[in-house]
Amino acid sequence: MTAPPPPPPPSSSSTPPVRSRPPRDPDQALLRSATLRMGWQIAAASAVVVVLAGLTTLALSPLLGRGRPEHGGGPDRDDEILRSTLLVAGVIGVAIAGVAGFLIARRAVAPLGEALARQRRFVADAGHELRTPLTVMHTRAQLIARRMEPQDPALPAMRQLLDDSRVLGEIVDELLASAVLTADPGRGEPIEVRALLDEIARSMAVLAQAREVQISVAGPPGVWVTGSRVALRRALAALVDNALGHTPPGGWVQLAVDVRGEHVVLAVTDSGEGLAGLDPAELTRRFARGPRAADGPGGRRFGLGLALVQEVASAHGGTLTLGPAPTGGARAELVLPIRS
């Protein structure tokens, strides 16, 4: 019994293999559909404007020519009537085009607002879901570190794990604060700023004592601003925490309130290392880092703190200013409108 003959080799005239197409991006398809829809709407609106301008020209030509003297007329009189008619039709066409453009633009921008709302909800939901397991992980790491012997070679790695989990928890908290602030600035609450500074100084006193830094408050009482107490407290606490982190033992941090015309200046000044080699404009970027320094291989970390402070200032109609202090350290000023 003979073996079956082998299959013939594929000829050069055979059909080439079909290449699989990459999956279609739904976001790009949505943008393409919205672009086409907006283009058709603008084209239809332009056509309507042209038709209305033509009809207006035909309707106004007899009216503009009525009552004019017949002498001295001829082509000059017809040109004058045509110019007047086209002027009126052009004004009407521009008005119609403006209204149509406004309506089309509002419809085109509506999906962007929905996308921003979904993004804020996602960040808030993700932050809430991550906060609990991070807290549990940090607590368990603390328990394990307490049960380890001081001579255990794994103790330095466990302490580093504690620091990493703490930093990760701070990042999640900052993301949550950013999402909530962007969605609802919470304006309208009267705030006595000297009392707020005293409250922040008391809450940060334990951290200041641990770092051997003196913290104080200066400024007159009875100065009020309008805004969100939670957001302002978060912003000022971030400034104080940043000042304490960059002030060596034996230094000081001062919180002060001052009135300049129709604005209130909330200043946080320290006697630390200052802003040498740092660009104040770059420090307000999210997760900004300074140059490499002795406090770690990655340089000074600023995270979302200063970026959040700038968002709080903008939400309250104010500004954030960073610069050197007269004593050689750093000074951050949160300038807000005064409450009349």
Side-chain angles (χ1 to χ4, degrees), residues 32 35 41-42 73 108-109 126 138 148 160 180 187 199 230 235 247 300 330 338 340:
R32 190 180 301 109
T35 303
Q41 291 175 355
I42 293 177
V109 174
H138 186 71
M148 297 177 67
Q160 185 63 41
V180 172
R187 302 180 180 180
E199 178 183 346
V230 176
T247 302
R300 296 164 61 180
I338 194 172
S340 58

Side-chain angles (χ1 to χ4, degrees), residues 294-335:
D295 59 343
R300 296 164 61 180
R301 175 185 177 273
F302 296 91
L304 285 171
L306 295 179
L308 282 174
V309 175
Q310 190 176 43
E311 290 183 5
V312 171
S314 300
H316 290 77
T319 58
L320 171 65
T321 303
L322 302 175
T327 56
R331 180 180 177 88
E333 292 185 352
L334 189 62
V335 183

